[in-house]
Amino acid sequence: MRIFWFFFAFLFLLTLLSYAFIDPNFFPLSRIYSGFAFENRGWASLFYIVVMSFLYLGYLAIVRMYLKKRVNKAQIIGLFSISSVILLFSYPAMLSYDIFNYLTTAKVLFHYFENPYLIMPIEFVSDPNLLFTHAANKYALYGPSWIAMTGLPYLLGFKNIILSIIGFKIFNILFFFATLSLIYKVSKNLYPVILFGLNPLVLIETLLSLHNDIVLTFFAVLSFYFLLNNKKIHSVFSLIFSVFIKYATLALAPVYLYSFIKKMKKKELDQDQIFSLSSYSMLAVFFLSTFREEIYPWYAIWFLTFAFLSKNKFLHGISFVLSFFLLLRYVPYMYLGTHFGPTPFIKIAITFIPVFFYVISFRYIKEKIQLN
Amino acid sequence: MRRLYLILIFVLFFFLFTSTVFAESSYVLPYPSSMPGSSLYKVHILYEKISKYWYFGDFGQFKYDLRYADKYLVEAKTLFEYKQYLLAYKALEKSNNYFLKLPSDLKKAQGSGKNIIEKENIFYEASRKHVEILKSLKIETPESFVWRPEKGSQSNLAIHKLIDISIKLRQSVL
């Protein structure tokens, strides 16, 4: 039980730390703006690294406890619920400003009744959201499924920014739990649920930063769930819906087609093989995103879900390695305060060097096991 | 007295041998797209009709109307250059029709509480550019043209009259 409190304590510290990052232009919270993270970059980075490391240790300890059968189902549900409640109170733009982008894009459609694919937020000259929206000079970046869905949390906010953010938080919490229950339904095992649901990267990107990747992942897994249960039409629509959230899940098309054809021929699907292939496909898109812009930590959710659904040891290992080091990608900017200079190189090093060592050591360990 | 004469002569020369030059608008018109007669033109017309619904909202409608006012002006200019007067005449009429809708689009946007300052600037710059193009067209085109189709009766195209109307329409917002 102690380890649970340890985990919650660091989630709570993370929530507290998030308020040190309040944007000076985010006027709804201007009263509690301290500027701490911007004036004490060294301390903020150090606190972040410490909190993140202990959270990760807590995560690994809980996973170990589960493997030793010292955690029951009720405790796991409690872990997810309390973690969600703690992060519900966090400031969402600590590590990324995407939530403001979601909010303002939703405003373009649901408040101004303009097409966000044609009209940029910046075109609404006197809109107060422009003060803190960082991608106001861009057309809608996401697919129509996502834009349509954001209407719900946006309208639930009744034009109040804080209430809208809470709406987005509740929205993501619901999808987080829906994904967890789906993982459980597909795998009929609590292990992948714990691996995914307590992973600090998943928790932070889904419940703190409120990224929409959990939503596209949910619909992607749902499409495979429907396919496994012979609901082909539901399955196709789920995948299409997922693709039209962020387009990334289009990479699942080859694996999906292979599975679909197999199902049509009434052959049995190898669940483990499908999820491994899906994870590799998403991992490829994840690495390819370097060429588009850069690798963002929240993109890891794409392959983590399928990696933990599979029994592939290599994928589990790379997921552990990447999910920890990707969270450290925030540190160079946090410390240096610039996206230029050495920041991009440090970020690349933080991401690729651990992966390189992991791949080499995995082969070595595997060969040793085979020799024995 | 001599100095006064010199000044007077200088002033006279200044007014006689200099012409007024207005600053050109920085507004950029689109490239000419497919022209009437090409197989793609029908597709473009269909797209124009369908995309009207994609450009919903007051600002969206403003963008749509301005886009096609620009497009048809460029089309008219190109066709006039190729002496395709009937097609050019029709294109300019279309451009005018779209241009006419722009003030009401902006009024609607203002009515729904949107700040239209930037859009007004765009509208102003676009109008200036259109006037520039239309004035140059007036120099390059005949005053009128008698169009004789192979079958049917001939029609007289009052080209300069249409250009004057088009200029007036655009100058009314300047």
Side-chain angles (χ1 to χ4, degrees):
Chain A
M1 270 305 261
R2 256 187 222 165
I3 195 70
F4 294 173
W5 292 113
F6 175 87
F7 192 73
F8 295 146
F10 280 96
L11 275 181
F12 181 71
L13 282 176
L14 182 71
T15 299
L16 279 183
L17 184 64
S18 70
Y19 285 90
F21 288 81
I22 291 176
D23 190 292
N25 296 317
F26 189 60
F27 58 87
L29 293 182
S30 57
R31 279 189 187 177
I32 53 166
Y33 169 74
S34 65
F36 178 82
F38 313 113
E39 287 158 21
N40 305 279
R41 291 192 172 275
W43 284 111
S45 309
L46 185 70
F47 287 150
Y48 176 77
I49 294 169
V50 169
V51 168
M52 216 41 68
S53 306
F54 281 109
L55 255 184
Y56 209 82
L57 283 175
Y59 163 63
L60 293 178
I62 295 168
V63 170
R64 205 162 157 240
M65 273 175 77
Y66 175 78
L67 290 173
K68 286 187 176 178
K69 293 180 180 167
R70 280 164 53 198
V71 188
N72 60 42
K73 200 175 174 180
Q75 284 174 320
I76 292 164
I77 294 169
L79 266 166
F80 292 138
S81 307
I82 296 171
S83 301
S84 305
V85 172
I86 295 171
L87 291 173
L88 175 70
F89 296 100
S90 59
Y91 170 69
M94 173 191 182
L95 304 167
S96 150
Y97 295 101
D98 279 5
I99 177 62
F100 296 150
N101 190 23
Y102 298 162
L103 201 71
T104 309
T105 306
K107 193 175 182 180
V108 170
L109 180 62
F110 298 103
H111 175 77
Y112 291 115
F113 304 109
E114 296 284 355
N115 187 339
Y117 294 104
L118 299 169
I119 310 290
M120 290 181 278
I122 206 167
E123 294 183 53
F124 301 99
V125 181
S126 46
D127 192 286
N129 284 21
L130 294 181
L131 287 170
F132 53 81
T133 305
H134 284 235
N137 58 339
K138 285 180 181 169
Y139 295 115
L141 299 164
Y142 307 100
S145 311
W146 174 248
I147 305 281
M149 286 174 92
T150 55
L152 195 70
Y154 177 77
L155 295 171
L156 281 175
F158 299 102
K159 297 183 182 179
N160 178 296
I161 294 165
I162 297 293
L163 284 180
S164 294
I165 288 174
I166 293 171
F168 271 96
K169 287 242 178 198
I170 293 166
F171 185 77
N172 266 26
I173 288 173
L174 291 176
F175 271 97
F176 174 66
F177 276 95
T179 310
L180 294 181
S181 71
L182 198 59
I183 291 172
Y184 184 67
K185 273 189 172 183
V186 171
S187 63
K188 294 171 186 80
N189 189 348
L190 271 176
Y191 185 55
V193 182
I194 294 173
L195 286 181
F196 181 77
L198 291 179
N199 186 299
L201 183 138
V202 176
L203 284 173
I204 288 165
E205 299 302 349
T206 305
L207 305 176
L208 189 145
S209 297
L210 305 177
H211 281 114
N212 59 9
D213 303 82
I214 191 76
V215 185
L216 100 153
T217 305
F218 169 77
F219 284 103
V221 179
L222 187 67
S223 78
F224 281 106
Y225 172 73
F226 280 138
L227 193 64
L228 289 165
N229 290 288
N230 287 317
K231 289 180 178 171
K232 295 183 190 78
I233 295 170
H234 289 70
S235 168
V236 170
F237 276 106
S238 293
L239 188 67
I240 291 171
F241 197 84
S242 170
V243 170
F244 281 112
I245 288 173
K246 215 176 188 175
Y247 313 115
T249 38
L250 192 64
L252 290 172
V255 185
Y256 184 80
L257 268 176
Y258 164 76
S259 317
F260 196 87
I261 292 165
K262 236 181 158 185
K263 244 331 186 195
M264 290 292 272
K265 288 180 181 171
K266 292 186 177 161
K267 283 182 184 172
E268 206 50 46
L269 285 180
D270 181 350
Q271 213 166 293
D272 190 44
Q273 183 198 32
I274 287 166
F275 291 135
S276 294
L277 286 172
S278 300
S279 186
Y280 279 119
S281 305
M282 297 315 291
L283 195 63
V285 184
F286 168 80
F287 281 118
L288 284 173
S289 58
T290 320
F291 300 107
R292 193 184 67 93
E293 220 170 306
E294 67 164 295
I295 289 176
Y296 291 115
W298 52 93
Y299 290 176
I301 294 174
W302 307 341
F303 66 83
L304 283 178
T305 327
F306 293 106
F308 293 142
L309 267 169
S310 77
K311 287 168 187 152
N312 189 315
K313 291 275 182 287
F314 175 80
L315 280 172
H316 282 201
I318 205 165
S319 300
F320 286 133
V321 173
L322 269 173
S323 54
F324 176 69
F325 285 98
L326 282 171
L327 284 173
L328 295 185
R329 271 179 77 95
Y330 292 116
V331 178
Y333 175 75
M334 215 179 263
Y335 182 70
L336 298 168
T338 174
H339 288 293
F340 305 101
T343 306
F345 302 103
I346 303 170
K347 277 181 174 181
I348 290 168
I350 287 172
T351 314
F352 289 98
I353 293 173
V355 171
F356 176 75
F357 281 110
Y358 169 73
V359 172
I360 289 175
S361 60
F362 184 81
R363 288 190 81 182
Y364 172 74
I365 294 162
K366 206 180 164 189
E367 276 166 17
K368 217 174 175 187
I369 291 165
Q370 279 170 349
L371 277 173
N372 287 335
Chain B
M1 200 59 182
R2 214 180 186 186
R3 200 177 273 174
L4 192 73
Y5 278 132
L6 272 170
I7 290 169
L8 267 173
I9 290 164
F10 177 77
V11 171
L12 214 74
F13 263 85
F14 183 81
F15 282 107
L16 277 175
F17 298 103
T18 54
S19 58
T20 318
V21 175
F22 295 101
E24 281 188 4
S25 167
S26 56
Y27 187 81
V28 181
L29 285 170
Y31 269 12
S33 69
S34 61
M35 290 289 142
S38 95
S39 50
L40 266 180
Y41 194 75
K42 279 180 187 168
V43 180
H44 277 252
I45 297 287
L46 185 70
Y47 176 76
E48 181 185 331
K49 281 182 182 159
I50 296 168
S51 66
K52 193 184 173 186
Y53 302 100
W54 181 241
Y55 282 76
F56 59 83
D58 312 317
F59 281 177
Q61 278 298 301
F62 173 78
K63 269 197 176 178
Y64 175 83
D65 291 328
L66 185 60
R67 180 186 168 169
Y68 284 101
D70 287 348
K71 181 197 178 285
Y72 282 114
L73 180 75
V74 172
E75 187 176 308
K77 184 180 181 289
T78 314
L79 290 165
F80 273 128
E81 280 164 5
Y82 282 90
K83 302 196 188 329
Q84 297 293 313
Y85 296 122
L86 181 69
L87 294 172
Y89 192 91
K90 282 181 180 171
L92 188 56
E93 278 181 331
K94 275 187 182 178
S95 174
N96 287 353
N97 289 340
Y98 277 113
F99 197 90
L100 260 171
K101 291 177 191 168
L102 292 169
S104 69
D105 291 339
L106 287 182
K107 257 188 192 168
K108 272 185 206 164
Q110 197 173 29
S112 47
K114 291 169 193 166
N115 187 327
I116 59 163
I117 289 175
E118 268 198 5
K119 299 283 176 248
E120 273 180 332
N121 285 340
I122 294 170
F123 185 33
Y124 177 80
E125 286 300 319
S127 307
R128 275 180 58 193
K129 190 72 182 177
H130 280 214
V131 171
E132 261 173 50
I133 301 289
L134 288 164
K135 280 184 175 171
S136 71
L137 275 180
K138 205 177 168 186
I139 300 163
E140 294 156 13
T141 51
E143 194 177 340
S144 63
F145 184 78
V146 180
W147 176 255
R148 290 187 188 89
E150 281 181 25
K151 291 168 190 173
S153 53
Q154 64 179 40
S155 52
N156 186 35
L157 304 173
I159 296 171
H160 279 193
K161 199 178 164 191
L162 180 64
I163 293 175
D164 285 338
I165 292 169
S166 309
I167 292 172
K168 245 186 193 174
L169 178 68
R170 278 138 180 104
Q171 276 178 335
S172 65
V173 298
L174 292 178

